Amino acid sequence: MNNAKKLGFGLMRLPLTNPEDAGSIDMPQLCAMVDSFIERGFTYFDTAWMYCNGKSEEAAREALVKRYPRDKFTLTTKLPSYLLHSFEDRDKVFDTQRERTGVDYFDYYLIHDVNAKSFPAFEEYKCFEWVKEKKEQGLVKHIGFSFHDGPEMLDHILTKYPFVEFVQLQINYLDWENPVVQSRACYEVARKHNKPIIIMEPVKGGALANVPEVVETMFRHHDADRSVASWALRFAAGLDGVMMVLSGMSNPAQLDDNTAFMADFEPLTADEVAMVHRAAAMINGTIAIPCTGCSYCTVECPQNIAIPQYFALYNAEKQESVSKDWTTQELYYESLNERFGKASDCIGCGNCERMCPQHLPIRTHLEAVAAHFEGGNAQ
């Protein structure tokens, strides 16, 4: 399971022809990025059923599978809980994924987004035993699961299913001591069970590439040649037991930067680790809503509310000068209202919160967004 290079290409935040449509993948640009990634010696690609409005797996087929020999790349996808309503659904999903991606087997296959809400369905349909059978049949080379919950539950799962080969965790320096995400505690559980770790959200949906000015100044003063994002990726990749760090790269510039410093990876020094923890304390004081922009919340939203976009606008608004009478965020919010439901359209069904890997109180946050941007017009 060892890879020469630890950087994986996360096929969730891809270049788009329409920034407001996650399914409008810019295929020529994606193909060029895939070419650059492989030319530089990187091989790992990560997709999933729901990514890019359900278009990511097909994009992997067109940009990667059709264009490269099977032994030149490593492909990963995942089994989501919300599509499971019978034992037969497991194979229906898996067979559709093989058709979507165009491969006969997956190098890595994960049970997707295991947490307290999804775990009962995975247990009911014996998904851990099922994915083990897929490996025995040669349809999957390595099996694991992605996880968004607490260390106690992670310990329970790894104890109950010791045949699982690896675990994918959300780890970044901002969430290291977060009381909800508990990156450090979950990392320590995985290490206790001696499971290799794949890291997702190392840059927290781009948040750690766009840090407050005081944090960026601190990083630049220490090393003017390194990008802000590099600090987050190097923190994650330098942890013991980490086999792969996934990065969602939306444009060639991000790919160029990531592959440059990950080609000959150098972990952070002890002093630099201490610096990123100081950065986390600074950043945590400025973020209103710690959303990573994964868009899971929108999958079953009956009101078609652009939740991640609204949260990003709200965070940007809160970081701007309070003395401003008008900001560009207001224009963007009004523009999004033409195509999506407003924040005040939320009916409180809770579907979004059941899907959120960060366990955010989305309905409460939407009320704040509506109050801020809609004011007296909020219903």
Side-chain angles (χ1 to χ4, degrees), residues 342-375:
K342 301 190 298 293
S344 62
D345 290 337
C346 175
I347 60 174
C349 67
N351 287 346
C352 55
E353 293 180 6
R354 285 188 286 274
M355 295 293 288
C356 179
Q358 313 305 320
H359 311 293
L360 298 178
I362 293 175
R363 288 170 288 184
T364 299
H365 288 321
L366 284 174
E367 290 177 1
V369 170
H372 182 84
F373 286 110
E374 300 175 41

PDB file of all heavy atoms in Angstrom, residues 342-375:
ATOM      1  N   LYS A 342     -33.306  30.961  -1.329  1.00  0.00           N
ATOM      2  CA  LYS A 342     -32.661  31.870  -0.371  1.00  0.00           C
ATOM      3  C   LYS A 342     -32.440  31.142   0.955  1.00  0.00           C
ATOM      4  O   LYS A 342     -33.046  30.109   1.235  1.00  0.00           O
ATOM      5  CB  LYS A 342     -33.544  33.102  -0.146  1.00  0.00           C
ATOM      6  CG  LYS A 342     -33.849  33.900  -1.406  1.00  0.00           C
ATOM      7  CD  LYS A 342     -34.522  35.228  -1.066  1.00  0.00           C
ATOM      8  CE  LYS A 342     -35.873  35.021  -0.370  1.00  0.00           C
ATOM      9  NZ  LYS A 342     -36.872  34.417  -1.263  1.00  0.00           N
ATOM     10  N   ALA A 343     -31.601  31.709   1.782  1.00  0.00           N
ATOM     11  CA  ALA A 343     -31.375  31.124   3.103  1.00  0.00           C
ATOM     12  C   ALA A 343     -32.680  31.066   3.890  1.00  0.00           C
ATOM     13  O   ALA A 343     -32.937  30.104   4.636  1.00  0.00           O
ATOM     14  CB  ALA A 343     -30.329  31.931   3.863  1.00  0.00           C
ATOM     15  N   SER A 344     -33.525  32.063   3.714  1.00  0.00           N
ATOM     16  CA  SER A 344     -34.789  32.108   4.451  1.00  0.00           C
ATOM     17  C   SER A 344     -35.807  31.101   3.934  1.00  0.00           C
ATOM     18  O   SER A 344     -36.861  30.899   4.551  1.00  0.00           O
ATOM     19  CB  SER A 344     -35.393  33.516   4.376  1.00  0.00           C
ATOM     20  OG  SER A 344     -35.680  33.865   3.026  1.00  0.00           O
ATOM     21  N   ASP A 345     -35.524  30.431   2.804  1.00  0.00           N
ATOM     22  CA  ASP A 345     -36.425  29.412   2.273  1.00  0.00           C
ATOM     23  C   ASP A 345     -36.314  28.091   3.016  1.00  0.00           C
ATOM     24  O   ASP A 345     -37.085  27.158   2.757  1.00  0.00           O
ATOM     25  CB  ASP A 345     -36.147  29.176   0.788  1.00  0.00           C
ATOM     26  CG  ASP A 345     -36.572  30.348  -0.079  1.00  0.00           C
ATOM     27  OD1 ASP A 345     -37.438  31.126   0.369  1.00  0.00           O
ATOM     28  OD2 ASP A 345     -36.034  30.491  -1.197  1.00  0.00           O
ATOM     29  N   CYS A 346     -35.343  27.993   3.911  1.00  0.00           N
ATOM     30  CA  CYS A 346     -35.152  26.757   4.680  1.00  0.00           C
ATOM     31  C   CYS A 346     -36.441  26.386   5.409  1.00  0.00           C
ATOM     32  O   CYS A 346     -37.042  27.213   6.093  1.00  0.00           O
ATOM     33  CB  CYS A 346     -34.012  26.940   5.675  1.00  0.00           C
ATOM     34  SG  CYS A 346     -33.774  25.540   6.794  1.00  0.00           S
ATOM     35  N   ILE A 347     -36.880  25.129   5.278  1.00  0.00           N
ATOM     36  CA  ILE A 347     -38.098  24.656   5.938  1.00  0.00           C
ATOM     37  C   ILE A 347     -37.778  23.854   7.200  1.00  0.00           C
ATOM     38  O   ILE A 347     -38.681  23.293   7.833  1.00  0.00           O
ATOM     39  CB  ILE A 347     -38.953  23.811   4.982  1.00  0.00           C
ATOM     40  CG1 ILE A 347     -38.171  22.582   4.484  1.00  0.00           C
ATOM     41  CG2 ILE A 347     -39.440  24.663   3.805  1.00  0.00           C
ATOM     42  CD1 ILE A 347     -39.002  21.628   3.641  1.00  0.00           C
ATOM     43  N   GLY A 348     -36.483  23.770   7.551  1.00  0.00           N
ATOM     44  CA  GLY A 348     -36.096  23.115   8.797  1.00  0.00           C
ATOM     45  C   GLY A 348     -36.210  21.612   8.787  1.00  0.00           C
ATOM     46  O   GLY A 348     -36.331  20.995   9.853  1.00  0.00           O
ATOM     47  N   CYS A 349     -36.127  20.977   7.604  1.00  0.00           N
ATOM     48  CA  CYS A 349     -36.289  19.517   7.540  1.00  0.00           C
ATOM     49  C   CYS A 349     -35.115  18.768   8.162  1.00  0.00           C
ATOM     50  O   CYS A 349     -35.258  17.629   8.597  1.00  0.00           O
ATOM     51  CB  CYS A 349     -36.484  19.079   6.091  1.00  0.00           C
ATOM     52  SG  CYS A 349     -35.044  19.326   5.022  1.00  0.00           S
ATOM     53  N   GLY A 350     -33.927  19.373   8.166  1.00  0.00           N
ATOM     54  CA  GLY A 350     -32.758  18.748   8.782  1.00  0.00           C
ATOM     55  C   GLY A 350     -31.983  17.808   7.879  1.00  0.00           C
ATOM     56  O   GLY A 350     -30.996  17.205   8.317  1.00  0.00           O
ATOM     57  N   ASN A 351     -32.401  17.657   6.614  1.00  0.00           N
ATOM     58  CA  ASN A 351     -31.660  16.778   5.699  1.00  0.00           C
ATOM     59  C   ASN A 351     -30.206  17.199   5.581  1.00  0.00           C
ATOM     60  O   ASN A 351     -29.299  16.368   5.518  1.00  0.00           O
ATOM     61  CB  ASN A 351     -32.300  16.793   4.306  1.00  0.00           C
ATOM     62  CG  ASN A 351     -33.615  16.045   4.264  1.00  0.00           C
ATOM     63  OD1 ASN A 351     -33.947  15.304   5.178  1.00  0.00           O
ATOM     64  ND2 ASN A 351     -34.372  16.236   3.185  1.00  0.00           N
ATOM     65  N   CYS A 352     -29.978  18.500   5.552  1.00  0.00           N
ATOM     66  CA  CYS A 352     -28.618  19.027   5.404  1.00  0.00           C
ATOM     67  C   CYS A 352     -27.736  18.615   6.576  1.00  0.00           C
ATOM     68  O   CYS A 352     -26.587  18.204   6.394  1.00  0.00           O
ATOM     69  CB  CYS A 352     -28.656  20.546   5.270  1.00  0.00           C
ATOM     70  SG  CYS A 352     -29.525  21.389   6.614  1.00  0.00           S
ATOM     71  N   GLU A 353     -28.277  18.711   7.781  1.00  0.00           N
ATOM     72  CA  GLU A 353     -27.483  18.402   8.968  1.00  0.00           C
ATOM     73  C   GLU A 353     -27.193  16.907   9.066  1.00  0.00           C
ATOM     74  O   GLU A 353     -26.147  16.507   9.578  1.00  0.00           O
ATOM     75  CB  GLU A 353     -28.195  18.909  10.215  1.00  0.00           C
ATOM     76  CG  GLU A 353     -28.266  20.437  10.253  1.00  0.00           C
ATOM     77  CD  GLU A 353     -28.969  20.970  11.494  1.00  0.00           C
ATOM     78  OE1 GLU A 353     -29.300  20.168  12.389  1.00  0.00           O
ATOM     79  OE2 GLU A 353     -29.197  22.195  11.555  1.00  0.00           O
ATOM     80  N   ARG A 354     -28.081  16.082   8.563  1.00  0.00           N
ATOM     81  CA  ARG A 354     -27.832  14.644   8.564  1.00  0.00           C
ATOM     82  C   ARG A 354     -26.701  14.276   7.606  1.00  0.00           C
ATOM     83  O   ARG A 354     -26.036  13.262   7.795  1.00  0.00           O
ATOM     84  CB  ARG A 354     -29.110  13.887   8.184  1.00  0.00           C
ATOM     85  CG  ARG A 354     -30.142  13.838   9.313  1.00  0.00           C
ATOM     86  CD  ARG A 354     -31.297  12.913   8.977  1.00  0.00           C
ATOM     87  NE  ARG A 354     -32.209  13.488   7.993  1.00  0.00           N
ATOM     88  CZ  ARG A 354     -33.212  14.283   8.307  1.00  0.00           C
ATOM     89  NH1 ARG A 354     -33.431  14.623   9.567  1.00  0.00           N
ATOM     90  NH2 ARG A 354     -34.017  14.750   7.369  1.00  0.00           N
ATOM     91  N   MET A 355     -26.472  15.106   6.592  1.00  0.00           N
ATOM     92  CA  MET A 355     -25.434  14.824   5.601  1.00  0.00           C
ATOM     93  C   MET A 355     -24.107  15.500   5.915  1.00  0.00           C
ATOM     94  O   MET A 355     -23.081  15.153   5.333  1.00  0.00           O
ATOM     95  CB  MET A 355     -25.904  15.296   4.217  1.00  0.00           C
ATOM     96  CG  MET A 355     -27.110  14.562   3.672  1.00  0.00           C
ATOM     97  SD  MET A 355     -26.770  12.840   3.284  1.00  0.00           S
ATOM     98  CE  MET A 355     -25.760  13.018   1.805  1.00  0.00           C
ATOM     99  N   CYS A 356     -24.094  16.460   6.825  1.00  0.00           N
ATOM    100  CA  CYS A 356     -22.910  17.291   7.044  1.00  0.00           C
ATOM    101  C   CYS A 356     -21.798  16.547   7.776  1.00  0.00           C
ATOM    102  O   CYS A 356     -21.975  16.152   8.937  1.00  0.00           O
ATOM    103  CB  CYS A 356     -23.287  18.544   7.845  1.00  0.00           C
ATOM    104  SG  CYS A 356     -21.874  19.620   8.184  1.00  0.00           S
ATOM    105  N   PRO A 357     -20.626  16.343   7.146  1.00  0.00           N
ATOM    106  CA  PRO A 357     -19.518  15.677   7.821  1.00  0.00           C
ATOM    107  C   PRO A 357     -18.972  16.469   9.009  1.00  0.00           C
ATOM    108  O   PRO A 357     -18.337  15.900   9.894  1.00  0.00           O
ATOM    109  CB  PRO A 357     -18.447  15.552   6.726  1.00  0.00           C
ATOM    110  CG  PRO A 357     -19.184  15.702   5.440  1.00  0.00           C
ATOM    111  CD  PRO A 357     -20.302  16.656   5.752  1.00  0.00           C
ATOM    112  N   GLN A 358     -19.212  17.790   9.008  1.00  0.00           N
ATOM    113  CA  GLN A 358     -18.693  18.636  10.085  1.00  0.00           C
ATOM    114  C   GLN A 358     -19.670  18.765  11.254  1.00  0.00           C
ATOM    115  O   GLN A 358     -19.368  19.409  12.257  1.00  0.00           O
ATOM    116  CB  GLN A 358     -18.381  20.037   9.550  1.00  0.00           C
ATOM    117  CG  GLN A 358     -17.592  20.061   8.251  1.00  0.00           C
ATOM    118  CD  GLN A 358     -16.309  19.274   8.334  1.00  0.00           C
ATOM    119  OE1 GLN A 358     -15.626  19.326   9.351  1.00  0.00           O
ATOM    120  NE2 GLN A 358     -15.988  18.535   7.284  1.00  0.00           N
ATOM    121  N   HIS A 359     -20.866  18.165  11.103  1.00  0.00           N
ATOM    122  CA  HIS A 359     -21.903  18.219  12.151  1.00  0.00           C
ATOM    123  C   HIS A 359     -22.266  19.662  12.510  1.00  0.00           C
ATOM    124  O   HIS A 359     -22.478  19.997  13.677  1.00  0.00           O
ATOM    125  CB  HIS A 359     -21.449  17.467  13.402  1.00  0.00           C
ATOM    126  CG  HIS A 359     -20.907  16.097  13.115  1.00  0.00           C
ATOM    127  ND1 HIS A 359     -21.689  15.067  12.643  1.00  0.00           N
ATOM    128  CD2 HIS A 359     -19.642  15.593  13.199  1.00  0.00           C
ATOM    129  CE1 HIS A 359     -20.940  13.986  12.470  1.00  0.00           C
ATOM    130  NE2 HIS A 359     -19.694  14.282  12.792  1.00  0.00           N
ATOM    131  N   LEU A 360     -22.348  20.504  11.502  1.00  0.00           N
ATOM    132  CA  LEU A 360     -22.672  21.910  11.745  1.00  0.00           C
ATOM    133  C   LEU A 360     -24.174  22.086  11.974  1.00  0.00           C
ATOM    134  O   LEU A 360     -24.984  21.387  11.361  1.00  0.00           O
ATOM    135  CB  LEU A 360     -22.250  22.767  10.545  1.00  0.00           C
ATOM    136  CG  LEU A 360     -20.769  22.798  10.193  1.00  0.00           C
ATOM    137  CD1 LEU A 360     -20.556  23.657   8.956  1.00  0.00           C
ATOM    138  CD2 LEU A 360     -19.944  23.325  11.350  1.00  0.00           C
ATOM    139  N   PRO A 361     -24.560  23.041  12.814  1.00  0.00           N
ATOM    140  CA  PRO A 361     -25.979  23.387  12.983  1.00  0.00           C
ATOM    141  C   PRO A 361     -26.423  24.252  11.807  1.00  0.00           C
ATOM    142  O   PRO A 361     -26.625  25.474  11.944  1.00  0.00           O
ATOM    143  CB  PRO A 361     -25.992  24.141  14.311  1.00  0.00           C
ATOM    144  CG  PRO A 361     -24.640  24.780  14.381  1.00  0.00           C
ATOM    145  CD  PRO A 361     -23.687  23.803  13.729  1.00  0.00           C
ATOM    146  N   ILE A 362     -26.580  23.642  10.661  1.00  0.00           N
ATOM    147  CA  ILE A 362     -26.781  24.374   9.404  1.00  0.00           C
ATOM    148  C   ILE A 362     -28.031  25.237   9.450  1.00  0.00           C
ATOM    149  O   ILE A 362     -28.031  26.385   8.970  1.00  0.00           O
ATOM    150  CB  ILE A 362     -26.829  23.397   8.219  1.00  0.00           C
ATOM    151  CG1 ILE A 362     -25.460  22.746   8.031  1.00  0.00           C
ATOM    152  CG2 ILE A 362     -27.267  24.103   6.932  1.00  0.00           C
ATOM    153  CD1 ILE A 362     -25.414  21.671   6.965  1.00  0.00           C
ATOM    154  N   ARG A 363     -29.104  24.715  10.022  1.00  0.00           N
ATOM    155  CA  ARG A 363     -30.346  25.488  10.049  1.00  0.00           C
ATOM    156  C   ARG A 363     -30.167  26.786  10.836  1.00  0.00           C
ATOM    157  O   ARG A 363     -30.658  27.838  10.429  1.00  0.00           O
ATOM    158  CB  ARG A 363     -31.471  24.635  10.634  1.00  0.00           C
ATOM    159  CG  ARG A 363     -31.936  23.518   9.701  1.00  0.00           C
ATOM    160  CD  ARG A 363     -32.872  22.549  10.379  1.00  0.00           C
ATOM    161  NE  ARG A 363     -32.185  21.702  11.329  1.00  0.00           N
ATOM    162  CZ  ARG A 363     -32.764  20.705  12.007  1.00  0.00           C
ATOM    163  NH1 ARG A 363     -34.059  20.442  11.823  1.00  0.00           N
ATOM    164  NH2 ARG A 363     -32.072  19.963  12.851  1.00  0.00           N
ATOM    165  N   THR A 364     -29.452  26.705  11.940  1.00  0.00           N
ATOM    166  CA  THR A 364     -29.193  27.904  12.740  1.00  0.00           C
ATOM    167  C   THR A 364     -28.330  28.890  11.959  1.00  0.00           C
ATOM    168  O   THR A 364     -28.581  30.103  11.965  1.00  0.00           O
ATOM    169  CB  THR A 364     -28.493  27.524  14.054  1.00  0.00           C
ATOM    170  OG1 THR A 364     -29.354  26.661  14.800  1.00  0.00           O
ATOM    171  CG2 THR A 364     -28.186  28.758  14.888  1.00  0.00           C
ATOM    172  N   HIS A 365     -27.309  28.368  11.278  1.00  0.00           N
ATOM    173  CA  HIS A 365     -26.444  29.240  10.489  1.00  0.00           C
ATOM    174  C   HIS A 365     -27.217  29.893   9.336  1.00  0.00           C
ATOM    175  O   HIS A 365     -26.975  31.055   8.991  1.00  0.00           O
ATOM    176  CB  HIS A 365     -25.254  28.455   9.944  1.00  0.00           C
ATOM    177  CG  HIS A 365     -24.241  28.077  10.976  1.00  0.00           C
ATOM    178  ND1 HIS A 365     -23.868  28.917  12.001  1.00  0.00           N
ATOM    179  CD2 HIS A 365     -23.498  26.938  11.143  1.00  0.00           C
ATOM    180  CE1 HIS A 365     -22.954  28.335  12.747  1.00  0.00           C
ATOM    181  NE2 HIS A 365     -22.710  27.128  12.247  1.00  0.00           N
ATOM    182  N   LEU A 366     -28.137  29.147   8.722  1.00  0.00           N
ATOM    183  CA  LEU A 366     -28.936  29.733   7.645  1.00  0.00           C
ATOM    184  C   LEU A 366     -29.805  30.882   8.157  1.00  0.00           C
ATOM    185  O   LEU A 366     -30.035  31.866   7.445  1.00  0.00           O
ATOM    186  CB  LEU A 366     -29.811  28.662   6.985  1.00  0.00           C
ATOM    187  CG  LEU A 366     -29.097  27.701   6.032  1.00  0.00           C
ATOM    188  CD1 LEU A 366     -30.049  26.604   5.576  1.00  0.00           C
ATOM    189  CD2 LEU A 366     -28.527  28.443   4.824  1.00  0.00           C
ATOM    190  N   GLU A 367     -30.276  30.762   9.369  1.00  0.00           N
ATOM    191  CA  GLU A 367     -31.040  31.861   9.965  1.00  0.00           C
ATOM    192  C   GLU A 367     -30.170  33.105  10.076  1.00  0.00           C
ATOM    193  O   GLU A 367     -30.628  34.230   9.798  1.00  0.00           O
ATOM    194  CB  GLU A 367     -31.564  31.456  11.343  1.00  0.00           C
ATOM    195  CG  GLU A 367     -32.654  30.404  11.301  1.00  0.00           C
ATOM    196  CD  GLU A 367     -33.102  29.976  12.695  1.00  0.00           C
ATOM    197  OE1 GLU A 367     -32.558  30.526  13.682  1.00  0.00           O
ATOM    198  OE2 GLU A 367     -33.978  29.106  12.801  1.00  0.00           O
ATOM    199  N   ALA A 368     -28.909  32.920  10.479  1.00  0.00           N
ATOM    200  CA  ALA A 368     -27.991  34.059  10.596  1.00  0.00           C
ATOM    201  C   ALA A 368     -27.700  34.666   9.228  1.00  0.00           C
ATOM    202  O   ALA A 368     -27.640  35.896   9.076  1.00  0.00           O
ATOM    203  CB  ALA A 368     -26.696  33.616  11.278  1.00  0.00           C
ATOM    204  N   VAL A 369     -27.510  33.794   8.226  1.00  0.00           N
ATOM    205  CA  VAL A 369     -27.253  34.282   6.876  1.00  0.00           C
ATOM    206  C   VAL A 369     -28.458  35.076   6.368  1.00  0.00           C
ATOM    207  O   VAL A 369     -28.305  36.172   5.795  1.00  0.00           O
ATOM    208  CB  VAL A 369     -26.965  33.099   5.924  1.00  0.00           C
ATOM    209  CG1 VAL A 369     -26.936  33.566   4.477  1.00  0.00           C
ATOM    210  CG2 VAL A 369     -25.640  32.431   6.283  1.00  0.00           C
ATOM    211  N   ALA A 370     -29.660  34.556   6.583  1.00  0.00           N
ATOM    212  CA  ALA A 370     -30.875  35.234   6.129  1.00  0.00           C
ATOM    213  C   ALA A 370     -31.017  36.586   6.829  1.00  0.00           C
ATOM    214  O   ALA A 370     -31.347  37.579   6.188  1.00  0.00           O
ATOM    215  CB  ALA A 370     -32.086  34.345   6.395  1.00  0.00           C
ATOM    216  N   ALA A 371     -30.778  36.592   8.122  1.00  0.00           N
ATOM    217  CA  ALA A 371     -30.910  37.842   8.864  1.00  0.00           C
ATOM    218  C   ALA A 371     -29.931  38.900   8.370  1.00  0.00           C
ATOM    219  O   ALA A 371     -30.251  40.087   8.283  1.00  0.00           O
ATOM    220  CB  ALA A 371     -30.702  37.582  10.363  1.00  0.00           C
ATOM    221  N   HIS A 372     -28.729  38.447   8.025  1.00  0.00           N
ATOM    222  CA  HIS A 372     -27.704  39.398   7.588  1.00  0.00           C
ATOM    223  C   HIS A 372     -27.953  39.917   6.176  1.00  0.00           C
ATOM    224  O   HIS A 372     -27.913  41.128   5.940  1.00  0.00           O
ATOM    225  CB  HIS A 372     -26.322  38.746   7.658  1.00  0.00           C
ATOM    226  CG  HIS A 372     -25.210  39.688   7.277  1.00  0.00           C
ATOM    227  ND1 HIS A 372     -24.648  40.579   8.180  1.00  0.00           N
ATOM    228  CD2 HIS A 372     -24.586  39.909   6.089  1.00  0.00           C
ATOM    229  CE1 HIS A 372     -23.725  41.282   7.568  1.00  0.00           C
ATOM    230  NE2 HIS A 372     -23.665  40.900   6.297  1.00  0.00           N
ATOM    231  N   PHE A 373     -28.176  38.996   5.233  1.00  0.00           N
ATOM    232  CA  PHE A 373     -28.275  39.405   3.834  1.00  0.00           C
ATOM    233  C   PHE A 373     -29.689  39.813   3.400  1.00  0.00           C
ATOM    234  O   PHE A 373     -29.840  40.580   2.454  1.00  0.00           O
ATOM    235  CB  PHE A 373     -27.781  38.277   2.922  1.00  0.00           C
ATOM    236  CG  PHE A 373     -26.286  38.107   2.917  1.00  0.00           C
ATOM    237  CD1 PHE A 373     -25.693  36.994   3.506  1.00  0.00           C
ATOM    238  CD2 PHE A 373     -25.455  39.051   2.330  1.00  0.00           C
ATOM    239  CE1 PHE A 373     -24.326  36.831   3.497  1.00  0.00           C
ATOM    240  CE2 PHE A 373     -24.085  38.909   2.326  1.00  0.00           C
ATOM    241  CZ  PHE A 373     -23.508  37.787   2.913  1.00  0.00           C
ATOM    242  N   GLU A 374     -30.700  39.265   4.075  1.00  0.00           N
ATOM    243  CA  GLU A 374     -32.061  39.564   3.681  1.00  0.00           C
ATOM    244  C   GLU A 374     -32.732  40.576   4.601  1.00  0.00           C
ATOM    245  O   GLU A 374     -33.690  41.238   4.214  1.00  0.00           O
ATOM    246  CB  GLU A 374     -32.873  38.285   3.617  1.00  0.00           C
ATOM    247  CG  GLU A 374     -32.330  37.262   2.622  1.00  0.00           C
ATOM    248  CD  GLU A 374     -33.080  35.947   2.672  1.00  0.00           C
ATOM    249  OE1 GLU A 374     -34.327  35.966   2.787  1.00  0.00           O
ATOM    250  OE2 GLU A 374     -32.432  34.888   2.634  1.00  0.00           O
ATOM    251  N   GLY A 375     -32.216  40.669   5.822  1.00  0.00           N
ATOM    252  CA  GLY A 375     -32.753  41.654   6.767  1.00  0.00           C
ATOM    253  C   GLY A 375     -34.238  41.501   6.940  1.00  0.00           C
ATOM    254  O   GLY A 375     -34.760  40.428   7.246  1.00  0.00           O
TER     255      GLY A 375
END
